[in-house]
Amino acid sequence: MDIDDITDGTLRNYVDGEWTPIDGDDGADVVNPATGETLGHVPFTPPGSVADVVSAGDAAFETWRNRAIEDRIQPLFRLKSLLEEHQEDIARVLVTEHGKNLNEARGELRRGIENVEVACGAPRLMQDGFLENAAPEIDEMAVRRPLGTFAAITPFNFPGMIPLWFLPYAVATGNSFVLKPSEQDPLTAQYLFHLIDEAGFPDGVVNLVHGGPDTVNALLENEDLAGASFVGSTPVARHVYETAARTGMRVQAQGGAKNYVVVSDSADLEYAAAKTVSSSFACGGERCLANDIAVVVGDAYEPFVEAVLDVVDDQVVGDGLDPDTDIGALISPGHAERVADLIDAGVEDGNELLRDGRGVTVDGYEEGTFIGPTVFGEVDTDSRIAQEEIFGPVLGIARADDFDEAVRKLNGTDFGNAASLFTARGGEAREFRNRADVGNIGVNVGTAAPMAFFHFGGRKDSFFGDLHAQAEDVVRFYTDETVYIERWPDV
Ligand code: NAD
């Protein structure tokens, strides 16, 4: 299917098993960032209509929660097959509305499918404890029970994968689910829901609601909603966490990031450079796991910078659908402007501009929101480009006298999403694991992205809550642990 098959130009919600027109005055155009072409219009669901979506979920929940778990996972097996079958077409839609390159879109969808696979293990993931003779003649067991209807509010940068960090686990554990995807690239979710429709979930179990901040706030203020999962920027994550908690629902909110990579003087510098460039610039740097500040120890600085520039100079900027493209368009003109402003700030703060991606143009794509790979050297880690999330193709390289100073620098931001170390010394790796104050740690790995059978970490201003996305953590988030205590006296 292509875009014309999934929408007639105006997007609809999917509620209670039906494609439903959205009766709202607000909305946004969905634009191909490489060409500037308008792909469709997404109306925003008015706050007053949100309660109906939650009610549809709650009505379906009454039956769904008591279906045998083997029955509940069958639509997920079908969804996995459908996702595999449509992967290439979904990837093209994703590239067209997001800008990243086709291989990155394929990789993202693979990561999403892996979450569906892991959720199919719910019969094992949901099992809990049983203890005979917990007290004289008393047996105790703990049971995980679903809670109702959950919502997930997701960001623009992984429109195919991030909804699947949540959706399959929520429904496999017996809950109903509402997805509110990013209004910047909602077509991928629209496609996903065509497959959900085909996969055979009972009406009302899985729902799609388009919208902007007002729609989100109506969900968070809905007292019937059992909980909300959020992924996006830190200020909104904090707002979601506070608002949902005030309403009294469960909440997990993943925020923004500023990830550092430490390059030890023992590291294989060409390998470290290649992996760092890939981590920084893949998806145009629009990744919460992008390592965009490298802190290099001692004499390794000069050869590392040289190796980085060698790789950077081979990067091709262009339309994500072009197989030669490494770095695609950024999501919007507004975002590209913000990235360019931060590059300006990097220069003003006295950092050394080694490669400048501002003003890059791509022949035939004059309306595209492109920024080329940008590299700063001699970075002051107190400056804005080393402290603020840029979310663009910008890498900063800083010096440290020793490993200890490098680790202190990486821990000196407000964020705690990810960090990597390149080293040949086991002792450094061990110390790094212990001291790096982040949730996802890579050693000789450029991008510390956990597989679906591990949770996705994050702390400090990168995460608000306690149970994370993916795997066992999210199963706990979506279930309440009830304890049964039994004694059977003789009668
Ligand atoms: P965003 O915070 O602007 O939007 C995320 C979602 O929140 C969207 O669905 C949007 O409609 C909604 N939203 C936006 N403003 C709102 C408001 N004022 N009130 C209520 N809802 C609101 O984020 P984005 O620009 O779409 O995504 C990029 C951000 O997401 C980056 O900061 C990135 O680091 C972060 N991110 C984090 C992770 C992680 O795992 N920690 C993963 C991916 C992206």
Side-chain angles (χ1 to χ4, degrees), residues 288-434:
C288 69
L289 291 179
N291 280 326
D292 61 357
I293 295 290
V295 185
V296 188
V297 177
D299 294 342
Y301 180 86
E302 276 83 10
F304 179 76
V305 169
E306 201 178 309
V308 162
L309 295 180
D310 276 353
V311 187
V312 166
D313 289 339
D314 285 341
Q315 298 284 298
V316 176
V317 180
D319 179 6
L321 290 175
D322 180 337
D324 291 334
T325 293
D326 295 304
I327 300 178
L330 298 187
I331 186 72
S332 66
H335 183 56
E337 204 177 301
R338 187 184 158 272
V339 172
D341 287 349
L342 275 163
I343 299 174
D344 294 346
V347 175
E348 281 156 26
D349 287 344
N351 301 296
E352 182 189 7
L353 188 59
L354 298 170
R355 293 292 181 274
D356 185 358
R358 290 171 296 183
V360 104
T361 51
V362 177
D363 283 348
Y365 294 87
E366 283 68 25
E367 301 302 318
T369 49
F370 298 103
I371 293 216
T374 300
V375 182
F376 284 100
E378 304 292 352
V379 166
D380 170 0
T381 50
D382 289 330
S383 67
R384 280 184 70 194
I385 56 161
Q387 290 293 323
E388 288 181 27
E389 181 173 46
I390 301 175
F391 231 52
V394 183
L395 169 65
I397 309 175
R399 292 178 187 267
D401 287 339
D402 53 28
F403 178 75
D404 187 62
E405 186 191 348
V407 175
R408 270 189 281 115
K409 285 186 165 172
L410 105 80
N411 283 336
T413 78
D414 291 337
F415 298 99
N417 218 36
S420 287
L421 166 69
F422 289 96
T423 186
R425 297 189 186 108
E428 277 180 355
R430 189 164 185 274
E431 198 178 333
F432 191 78
R433 193 172 62 206
N434 181 259

Side-chain angles (χ1 to χ4, degrees), residues 137 486-491:
E137 294 175 28
E486 288 187 356
R487 169 184 273 153
W488 293 95
D490 288 339
V491 286

Side-chain angles (χ1 to χ4, degrees), residues 8 51 53 110 129 134 138-139 149 168 246 261 264 364 383 390 403-405 424 452:
D8 58 9
V53 186
R110 172 55 44 206
I138 284 187
D139 304 328
T149 304
R246 209 175 304 120
V261 51
S264 157
S383 67
I390 301 175
F403 178 75
D404 187 62
E405 186 191 348

Side-chain angles (χ1 to χ4, degrees), residues 29-296:
D29 284 342
V30 186
V31 175
N32 179 339
T35 62
E37 177 202 358
T38 299
L39 304 168
H41 180 75
V42 56
F44 293 173
T45 305
S49 306
V50 165
D52 291 345
V53 186
V54 177
S55 298
D58 282 350
F61 172 67
E62 290 310 318
T63 316
W64 181 243
R65 60 174 296 198
N66 285 319
R67 289 274 290 274
I69 192 162
E70 263 301 306
D71 289 349
R72 289 207 304 260
I73 59 175
Q74 294 314 311
L76 288 175
F77 281 111
R78 289 193 287 274
L79 179 61
K80 171 191 153 57
S81 301
L82 288 163
L83 284 165
E84 304 268 10
E85 193 186 313
H86 289 256
Q87 187 176 357
E88 197 56 25
D89 282 356
I90 308 173
R92 297 188 84 81
V93 170
L94 200 163
V95 169
T96 308
E97 66 172 344
H98 176 283
K100 66 177 70 176
N101 77 36
L102 206 43
N103 274 337
E104 290 161 347
R106 290 176 182 133
E108 147 169 19
L109 292 168
R110 172 55 44 206
R111 282 296 171 102
I113 292 168
E114 282 162 12
N115 275 281
V116 181
E117 291 166 353
V118 173
C120 286
R124 182 75 188 132
L125 287 167
M126 274 188 88
Q127 283 181 33
D128 217 335
F130 184 92
L131 186 63
E132 261 184 348
N133 299 317
E137 294 175 28
I138 284 187
D139 304 328
E140 285 195 21
M141 64 178 126
V143 178
R144 289 192 197 286
R145 302 165 72 183
L147 286 157
T149 304
F150 281 85
I153 297 128
T154 54
F156 80 82
N157 65 325
F158 285 101
M161 174 183 74
I162 292 182
L164 296 173
W165 283 357
F166 305 106
L167 185 159
Y169 302 98
V171 299
T173 50
N175 299 286
S176 294
F177 185 80
V178 179
L179 174 67
K180 204 304 282 174
S182 169
E183 62 276 38
Q184 297 195 80
D185 48 10
L187 293 168
T188 304
Q190 195 83 6
Y191 201 135
L192 177 65
F193 271 75
H194 278 277
L195 304 186
I196 280 170
D197 189 48
E198 213 179 317
F201 292 95
D203 293 350
V205 169
V206 200
N207 305 281
L208 170 68
V209 58
H210 290 292
D214 291 347
T215 317
V216 173
N217 291 333
L219 281 165
L220 300 175
E221 285 161 9
N222 187 305
E223 291 183 354
D224 293 330
L225 200 67
S229 305
F230 173 85
V231 183
S233 58
T234 290
V236 184
R238 191 180 273 117
H239 162 77
V240 166
Y241 188 67
E242 289 171 359
T243 311
R246 209 175 304 120
T247 306
M249 65 179 72
R250 288 188 174 200
V251 55
Q252 49 177 194
Q254 298 181 212
K258 188 74 196 174
N259 307 314
Y260 277 44
V261 51
V262 171
V263 182
S264 157
D265 51 1
S266 68
D268 173 338
L269 297 181
E270 283 188 10
Y271 175 81
K275 293 291 176 196
T276 301
V277 169
S278 153
S279 176
S280 274
F281 298 126
C283 299
E286 293 170 328
R287 292 203 294 184
C288 69
L289 291 179
N291 280 326
D292 61 357
I293 295 290
V295 185
V296 188

